[in-house]
Amino acid sequence: MGRNRTISEGVHAGLLGAAVVALWFLVVDVVGGRPMHTPFALGEAVLAVLGLQRGQGMVEVVALYTLIHVVAFTIGGILVAWMVNASDREPSHLAGLFLLFIAFELGFHLCVYALSRRGQFVDIAWYQVGVANVLAAIAMGRYLFRAHPGALHRLDDALAGRT
């Protein structure tokens, strides 16, 4: 039951995070008058980083990016759910998860910023991607902490060295 719960929670958290990011980008793009621009630009950047041929149509690039995006968030959700579930037995795992989250966020934002400086995201502001990532993390964290009501208390204890 534990492994199935972890996978189920992780998939749900990952899909929730992916949906939050997609919705944020849709709102930003519609307000900017360019629907689907962000996933297309990010898909083009992914193709460039992977060394794949660019120049496919918008539908193909957006579909490829969406697939990669959903898979990445689902894998990330499962890993985070595994750590939250493991914290039921060993609360210090939450301190590690918290530090990993901070390191991931900083690394992610630095990579996006570096790519934007190289011209990969010419007309996508790095902070728009950053806001999307933070909103997804909040949604995923809220989902997982609601599934594990004592986790926030255990996180506080672990960060304070009381475990």
Side-chain angles (χ1 to χ4, degrees), residues 49-68:
V49 167
L50 295 176
L52 299 174
Q53 182 180 0
R54 297 173 70 176
Q56 289 88 348
M58 179 179 268
V59 173
E60 293 87 3
V61 172
V62 170
L64 172 69
Y65 173 73
T66 301
L67 176 65
I68 292 169

Side-chain angles (χ1 to χ4, degrees), residues 94 150-163:
L94 283 177
L152 279 177
H153 180 70
R154 289 192 307 277
L155 174 60
D156 183 50
D157 286 345
L159 291 174
R162 293 186 293 259
T163 60

Side-chain angles (χ1 to χ4, degrees), residues 60-92:
E60 293 87 3
V61 172
V62 170
L64 172 69
Y65 173 73
T66 301
L67 176 65
I68 292 169
H69 179 249
V70 169
V71 168
F73 266 90
T74 301
I75 291 168
I78 291 169
L79 291 172
V80 171
W82 174 76
M83 289 189 79
V84 171
N85 276 286
S87 77
D88 290 340
R89 294 176 303 284
E90 181 57 53
S92 64

